[in-house]
Amino acid sequence: MKKEEVPQDGENMHQGTFKQLFYAVDDSGKYTTATSVGWEPENIAMSQAWEEINEKVEQTRAAVLAGKLSPIAYYMEKSLLTLPQLAGYVGKWQWQVKRHMKPDVFQHLSEDLLQRYASTFNITVAQLKQVQ
């Protein structure tokens, strides 16, 4: 691809503020680098992926508000963490974290453990206890 042909579709999610580095051929036929703000197929795929993620976060939020899950499940989804990742960050087994996602168990977690969860999600314990 010639340097002038590097796609510059500024209709991406970052409004052209995020740039990627591509290799392209310059006028003399040598490889060089060129920045791109995105291209349509990539922007469509990224948009669809984020829609799916946002839908899953909203479903988890609704489950928390309905009392079916604890806020840990919501913040795990919102932070794009998996169960094994979250378990590793808080220093617990996966089955323990899964258990902490039950509202009645969550209510009895120690302040130290809540603080570890809050720190992992980069929020306060008060924010962890309430999902808006």
Side-chain angles (χ1 to χ4, degrees), residues 53 56-57 60 64 69-87 89 94 97-98 101 117 120-121 123 128:
I53 290 168
K56 192 169 183 179
V57 169
T60 305
V64 171
L69 290 172
S70 78
I72 292 172
Y74 169 72
Y75 285 108
M76 183 180 86
E77 290 292 338
K78 189 175 178 185
S79 302
L80 304 177
L81 292 173
T82 62
L83 182 61
Q85 289 173 324
L86 180 57
Y89 289 146
Q94 291 179 39
V97 173
K98 204 169 188 177
M101 291 184 191
Y117 278 113
T120 299
F121 300 132
I123 58 175
L128 177 63

Side-chain angles (χ1 to χ4, degrees), residues 7-123:
Q8 301 292 337
D9 182 12
E11 297 296 322
N12 63 12
M13 296 173 15
H14 302 286
Q15 289 79 35
T17 57
F18 178 77
K19 296 181 180 180
Q20 293 178 297
L21 187 63
F22 286 89
Y23 286 102
V25 179
D26 63 11
D27 293 335
S28 62
K30 294 183 179 179
Y31 281 102
T32 184
T33 58
T35 58
S36 171
V37 292
W39 58 307
E40 187 179 2
E42 179 184 41
N43 294 337
I44 291 171
M46 291 295 290
S47 177
Q48 290 174 342
W50 278 109
E51 282 177 21
E52 190 172 318
I53 290 168
N54 289 334
E55 185 177 322
K56 192 169 183 179
V57 169
E58 187 55 38
Q59 287 173 349
T60 305
R61 181 180 163 275
V64 171
L65 294 176
K68 296 177 182 174
L69 290 172
S70 78
I72 292 172
Y74 169 72
Y75 285 108
M76 183 180 86
E77 290 292 338
K78 189 175 178 185
S79 302
L80 304 177
L81 292 173
T82 62
L83 182 61
Q85 289 173 324
L86 180 57
Y89 289 146
V90 296
K92 292 288 182 184
W93 297 101
Q94 291 179 39
W95 67 267
Q96 292 173 308
V97 173
K98 204 169 188 177
R99 187 168 177 270
H100 296 162
M101 291 184 191
K102 295 178 180 178
D104 55 331
V105 174
F106 177 78
Q107 296 297 325
H108 298 95
L109 294 180
S110 69
E111 284 297 315
D112 176 57
L113 188 52
L114 289 173
Q115 183 59 52
R116 280 193 274 166
Y117 278 113
S119 296
T120 299
F121 300 132
N122 202 22
I123 58 175

